[in-house]
Amino acid sequence: MSFGATHLLGIETLSPAEIVSLLDLSESYVNLNRRDVKHSEALAGLTQINMFFEASTRTQASFELAGKRLGADVMNLTMQASSIRKGETLIDTAMTLNAMHPDLLVMRHPNSGAVNLLAEKVNCAVVNAGDGRHEHPTQALLDALTIRRAKGRLHRLRIAICGDIAHSRVARSNILLLGKMENRVRLIGPPTLMPSGVADWGVEVFSDMRAGLEGADVVMMLRLQKERMDGAFIPSEREYYHRFGLDAAKLAMAAPDAIVMHPGPMNRGVEIDGTLADDINRSVIQDQVEMGVAVRMAAMDLLARNLRAARQRDGVMV
Ligand code: NCD
């Protein structure tokens, strides 16, 4: 098993071999999660604390289920938006929690880089559950597992990521992962929603949805991240749906067996047609949710193995 990391902060620092190891282990957790008794002892005796400073349904629920199915003691801290103050407050919170000897800290935070800061301050494994518009590594890994299972491979695929790229940590982590695995990534969206410097990312950029979707094997849709927008980036949602919303007519430009993905939460009728999102012949959105639990189990299992090994080396009782 080739996975040397102490923390999972982003895709940027993972090697292709580490990505493959994590996905391979995830497969065994997919099987476990489909059984009646979904239990393993991989995290037995360890304490996992989830700190979500931003709203979350699937990510928080799946980290909690993942920890519980692996036998950890899991605690969810409810972080009120009003208590968020950058810098000192976060460090104080981190030091307080650190004194309680957690083994895994899972954090989502609106500020890019906040999770890296946390990792510097504590002596346990830290998992990034999404930091600002920076990274969301477990989302990219669950997307990769979903693609690999649907397409039978994770290389040489034409993958279109569509919508609000500029504000999306999901897009950033996916671009990094899919690039490392040698896929051809296309970004589609209005120029106002493309990040600056996108020309250096090794991707193709389209502002015409039909042209961008041509021959795509995978179509990944993104939500308009209004909470990260200061001002208006689109003329209207109606106009946006007309030009960039995925419906059957636009999807017809993609490969006949193209799959449709969305990380959720979805805004039906804004970035995607509701009927298409529910079409089990095209949409793998529910598979993504299922893979999310398995990938988070694999990630925390691998981090816990490295944590135990490091503590053993340092002579700490394990
Ligand atoms: C995404 C996120 O929070 O970055 N959601 C998720 O984790 N499934 C995408 C989004 O909020 O649009």
Side-chain angles (χ1 to χ4, degrees):
M1 192 69 70
S2 127
F3 189 88
T6 310
H7 307 291
L8 182 57
L9 303 177
I11 297 297
E12 196 159 16
T13 50
L14 292 184
S15 67
E18 285 179 309
I19 293 167
V20 171
S21 290
L22 201 149
L23 298 184
D24 289 347
L25 181 61
S26 302
E27 291 285 0
S28 69
Y29 285 125
V30 174
N31 295 334
L32 179 72
N33 289 337
R34 288 181 178 183
R35 297 216 303 253
D36 273 351
V37 180
K38 307 161 183 62
H39 204 74
S40 129
E41 294 292 310
L43 300 184
L46 301 185
T47 300
Q48 173 192 339
I49 303 180
N50 297 334
M51 302 158 68
F52 279 67
F53 289 87
E54 263 187 14
S56 174
T57 306
R58 325 111 275 257
T59 307
Q60 183 164 0
S62 60
F63 268 113
E64 182 175 353
L65 272 183
K68 286 183 170 160
R69 287 181 183 173
L70 295 180
D73 295 312
V74 185
M75 187 173 86
N76 287 308
L77 283 178
T78 323
M79 322 303 286
Q80 295 294 323
S82 59
S83 74
I84 298 175
R85 276 202 236 112
K86 280 184 278 181
E88 277 188 338
T89 304
L90 179 63
I91 292 170
D92 281 347
T93 311
M95 296 321 289
T96 304
L97 292 173
N98 197 46
M100 299 180 192
H101 297 288
D103 304 288
L104 288 148
L105 278 179
V106 179
M107 185 163 87
R108 167 170 287 192
H109 198 279
N111 297 341
S112 306
V115 187
N116 293 59
L117 184 66
L118 177 77
E120 285 171 18
K121 301 290 170 192
V122 296
N123 35 35
C124 66
V126 174
V127 185
N128 184 358
D131 64 325
R133 53 174 93 175
H134 177 225
E135 280 234 40
H136 191 353
T138 55
Q139 180 70 44
L141 289 159
L142 76 87
D143 289 338
L145 185 62
T146 308
I147 295 170
R148 194 173 80 166
R149 289 169 66 96
K151 293 281 146 201
R153 66 181 200 275
L154 190 57
H155 59 275
R156 294 200 182 186
L157 291 166
R158 280 162 298 190
I159 299 169
I161 306 178
C162 316
D164 181 3
I165 315 282
H167 300 100
S168 177
R169 55 196 174 208
V170 175
R172 229 185 95 78
S173 290
N174 263 299
I175 292 163
L176 289 166
L177 189 154
L178 296 168
K180 280 178 200 268
M181 305 310 288
E182 300 188 1
N183 295 283
R184 283 181 61 180
V185 178
R186 302 172 184 171
L187 306 182
I188 310 173
T192 47
L193 293 177
M194 283 294 160
S196 56
V198 72
D200 308 326
W201 288 14
V203 294
E204 289 174 89
V205 181
F206 294 84
S207 57
D208 180 85
M209 184 96 171
R210 285 188 166 77
L213 287 179
E214 205 177 332
D217 301 299
V218 175
V219 182
M220 192 181 289
M221 302 307 300
L222 299 172
R223 183 176 65 90
L224 290 173
Q225 312 243 312
K226 288 183 208 145
E227 70 275 24
R228 294 187 217 294
M229 295 182 190
D230 44 3
F233 284 72
I234 55 163
S236 72
E237 284 186 356
R238 220 180 118 98
E239 170 73 10
Y240 182 82
Y241 181 67
H242 177 67
R243 291 192 56 199
F244 297 102
L246 187 68
D247 56 15
K250 295 193 192 88
L251 183 62
M253 298 301 294
D257 60 350
I259 55 168
V260 174
M261 305 179 74
H262 194 305
M266 236 182 325
N267 287 319
R268 292 166 185 262
V270 180
E271 72 269 6
I272 190 164
D273 168 58
T275 312
L276 184 57
D278 297 333
D279 178 356
I280 54 164
N281 295 314
R282 304 312 295 269
S283 162
V284 294
I285 295 170
Q286 295 305 324
D287 300 310
Q288 289 174 269
V289 178
E290 182 185 2
M291 295 310 123
V293 182
V295 155
R296 288 167 180 130
M297 289 167 87
M300 292 197 292
D301 179 355
L302 291 171
L303 290 171
R305 292 182 204 189
N306 293 346
L307 183 73
R308 287 192 172 107
R311 286 178 178 169
Q312 212 144 31
R313 274 197 305 276
D314 297 345
V316 181
M317 291 259 285
V318 283

